[in-house]
Amino acid sequence: MRERTDKALNEPDPGPQVSVRASNRRLLSPRPLNRTAVLAAGVVLLLAASILLGSYTVTIPDFFKILAAHFTGGEKIPGASFIVMEAKLPRAVIGTLVGLAFGLSGALFQTMLRNPLASPDVIGISYGASAAAVLAIVVFGASGAVVSGAALGGAMAVAALIYGISRGGSLGSGGGSRGNAAGSRLILSGVGIAAALHAMVSFLMTRADIRTAAEALIWMNGSLNSASWERAGVLALALLLLVPAAAVLAGPLRILELGDDAAAGLGVRVGATRLGLVLTAVALAAVATAAAGPVAFVAFLAGPIARRFTGRPSLPASALVGALIVLAADYFAANIAPLLLGGTVLPVGVVTGALGAPFLLWLLVTSNRKDA
């Protein structure tokens, strides 16, 4: 017994070394970065599948030959060059950009207000865009860029109205409990305004002729069928301005998660930061809606899915998940749904709405099991 005691005293204790090594492994572990990179790779793969596969397939060498001919003025491949450059490629690019914008917008709202219901779908911004677009189509007979401009203006106007109603608390000053109350008022006022706008859209649809109503209905569901390089250019230019703005606000946003009082104590200008976040998130949702219509559930689901996948809140991961959702849903709507429905091509918003609702229920069930 004495020999065992002496041996234990003489041997070095490996406990601290083991704990330090384990801690170092955790610090050096690149799991969140790797998982975000996996999402980025998934977006690239789906983007390639949207361009190369489908009802008209294109080989990889032919794709690069078409791109080279387009930019250098070389010999084009009859038929294939037009399909790739005027249909498949702009559709895939707009789908990616729309998904990025919706995913980033939803994550900004949900993180800022600390509420998973705070997304453009729920608080009325998408309904504002839909109502303005339907008004332009039904009443004024507008089409094309005019409808997109009306949707953009409608989303911004509704956002300003919602912000004005809920301007008390942290949206205007910086209190903690007042900030939570203001966030709740923003969500509730958005739900009420969305209900009123939905009623207005229903009334306009009953007054429209069949052809106009069909055009408005396709736009309301969210669709990439009217994708063009002009829309892609406008959307890309908007994202070149808005994504850096979101990146600048990401740091103060992380501090705001500690609460308004703590953030103010750390030197964050709570009111100005929240106003900048609201403007950025609204603009992201507005330009995406103007380009493709209110694609349902993308902004709502991108943040929770990204958090489940990466294990932490992440704005880049949320944006990439949004792009994955839109690209996957559009591929199904354009290529698989016609095989199942006798040639019917569905708008992308129909697929995201149909698949988003059960996935949301799954998220709620698994969340309840985790919390139990």
Side-chain angles (χ1 to χ4, degrees), residues 178-193:
R178 293 172 63 192
N180 294 335
S184 299
R185 283 198 301 272
L186 187 145
I187 295 173
L188 292 175
S189 60
V191 171
I193 292 173

Side-chain angles (χ1 to χ4, degrees), residues 95-186:
T96 304
L97 296 179
V98 164
L100 291 172
F102 274 129
L104 187 55
S105 175
L108 286 174
F109 272 119
Q110 290 166 348
T111 305
M112 177 184 65
L113 299 176
R114 297 190 291 276
N115 193 319
L117 293 178
S119 75
D121 309 86
V122 176
I123 64 175
I125 295 172
S126 297
Y127 278 104
S130 298
V134 171
L135 182 68
I137 294 172
V138 174
V139 177
F140 300 102
S143 61
V146 177
V147 177
S148 299
L152 181 63
M156 300 298 285
V158 169
L161 179 60
I162 295 171
Y163 184 83
I165 294 174
S166 60
R167 197 177 183 275
S170 69
L171 292 175
S173 55
S177 60
R178 293 172 63 192
N180 294 335
S184 299
R185 283 198 301 272
L186 187 145

Side-chain angles (χ1 to χ4, degrees), residues 1-22:
M1 181 70 178
R2 184 176 179 180
E3 293 178 357
R4 293 179 181 177
T5 304
D6 293 340
K7 184 178 180 181
L9 291 174
N10 292 330
E11 288 181 353
D13 183 13
Q17 297 178 9
V18 173
S19 62
V20 169
R21 290 173 183 171

Side-chain angles (χ1 to χ4, degrees), residues 174-340:
S177 60
R178 293 172 63 192
N180 294 335
S184 299
R185 283 198 301 272
L186 187 145
I187 295 173
L188 292 175
S189 60
V191 171
I193 292 173
L197 292 174
H198 181 72
M200 187 187 82
V201 169
S202 298
F203 172 76
L204 290 174
M205 294 292 285
T206 60
R207 306 297 296 176
D209 60 80
I210 295 177
R211 182 174 298 179
T212 304
E215 179 183 354
L217 185 61
I218 292 175
W219 194 94
M220 286 171 56
N221 288 324
S223 175
L224 300 178
N225 293 337
S226 58
S228 63
W229 285 117
E230 181 183 0
R231 290 193 179 189
V234 173
L235 183 56
L237 180 61
L239 292 184
L240 284 176
L241 300 175
L242 295 173
V243 171
V248 170
L249 293 169
L253 178 61
R254 295 294 301 272
I255 300 176
L256 280 177
E257 293 185 70
L258 302 174
D260 290 354
D261 292 333
L266 293 172
V268 176
R269 298 176 60 186
V270 176
T273 301
R274 285 190 182 277
L275 179 59
L277 287 168
V278 168
L279 291 176
T280 303
V282 168
L284 285 166
V287 296
T289 305
V295 184
F297 275 112
V298 178
F300 190 60
L301 290 178
I305 295 174
R307 181 175 299 188
R308 287 296 186 91
F309 187 76
T310 61
R312 63 175 185 175
S314 173
L315 295 181
S318 300
L320 292 171
V321 169
L324 282 171
I325 293 173
V326 174
L327 287 173
D330 184 60
Y331 186 85
F332 179 88
N335 301 296
I336 300 176
L339 300 178
L340 303 176

